[in-house]
Amino acid sequence: MRASVNADDNGRGRGGPEPEAIRFFGTTWVGHDRGYAARRAAATAGSLAAALASCLVLRFAYQGLEIAEVGSFVSMLVVVTFAVCGAAAFRRTWEGFGRRPAGPGREESLRGLHAIGFIGSLAAYFLRSLTEAPGEGLRRREYEAALVRYERRRTARTGDPAARGAAKGGKREHG
């Protein structure tokens, strides 16, 4: 969980966990305010434009292979490599919107896959941004869980201590 507890300049808590910012959205995803809809529209259009431009660049690269007459085996190998890496990068990116990565070492080892399959990652970003800010669902679940934990801790520290004891099954006799 990455939500942090707010603190003012004196180090005193202000009132609970703070939501984690999402790239291009900041914390507008919490209340869908401060230009959230415009940001989502821009993210959607931008990721689609980037994916289309990337396809065009790959097409030019493939034409370069044809001009160089490298042979059908190498051309097919390049196409299959980009297709497989694109599909794998799409899947990893899509799953990354729903759960945190297993570890930094694992993500580091897959950097090459994401670099080759960048169109798959852009496609996943585009599709997710049609419904929400990419990563919003995960961060919302984490933030709401942090709020619940904070409320439990806060309510456990406040109130009548005798009532807390009675709630735990301990009866007090006054007398």
Side-chain angles (χ1 to χ4, degrees):
M1 173 61 224
R2 305 217 179 181
S4 61
V5 176
N6 289 329
D8 63 13
D9 292 338
N10 297 327
R12 295 182 304 247
R14 280 191 285 171
E18 186 173 304
E20 182 181 355
I22 297 176
R23 182 181 298 153
F24 306 125
F25 294 91
T27 57
T28 62
W29 60 268
V30 176
H32 292 187
D33 56 354
R34 298 186 333 261
Y36 172 82
R39 291 173 192 227
R40 252 204 37 227
T44 302
S47 59
L48 179 62
L52 293 176
S54 299
C55 288
L56 186 62
V57 168
L58 283 181
R59 175 66 182 147
F60 289 145
Y62 185 77
Q63 286 176 340
L65 291 175
E66 287 178 344
I67 292 170
E69 297 177 359
V70 294
S72 61
F73 177 73
V74 173
S75 295
M76 186 58 64
L77 187 62
V78 168
V79 169
V80 169
T81 299
F82 275 99
V84 169
C85 289
F90 178 91
R91 185 175 148 258
R92 297 281 307 163
T93 303
W94 190 265
E95 289 175 351
F97 295 139
R99 64 178 165 77
R100 295 282 179 184
R106 174 96 169 125
E107 289 302 308
E108 185 67 30
S109 67
L110 295 173
R111 183 173 285 183
L113 174 88
H114 282 282
I116 295 170
F118 60 97
I119 293 176
S121 292
L122 289 168
Y125 198 89
F126 165 73
L127 290 174
R128 181 55 68 135
S129 66
L130 290 172
T131 58
E132 68 178 11
E136 177 181 344
L138 170 66
R139 285 170 179 83
R140 187 170 301 282
R141 284 191 309 273
E142 290 176 345
Y143 179 59
E144 289 172 355
L147 285 174
V148 167
R149 284 192 307 271
Y150 175 78
E151 279 301 313
R152 270 194 225 132
R153 284 192 316 264
R154 193 175 68 81
T155 56
R157 291 188 305 248
T158 62
D160 182 13
R164 281 199 311 260
K168 291 181 182 177
K171 293 185 178 180
R172 295 184 179 233
E173 294 182 22
H174 297 285

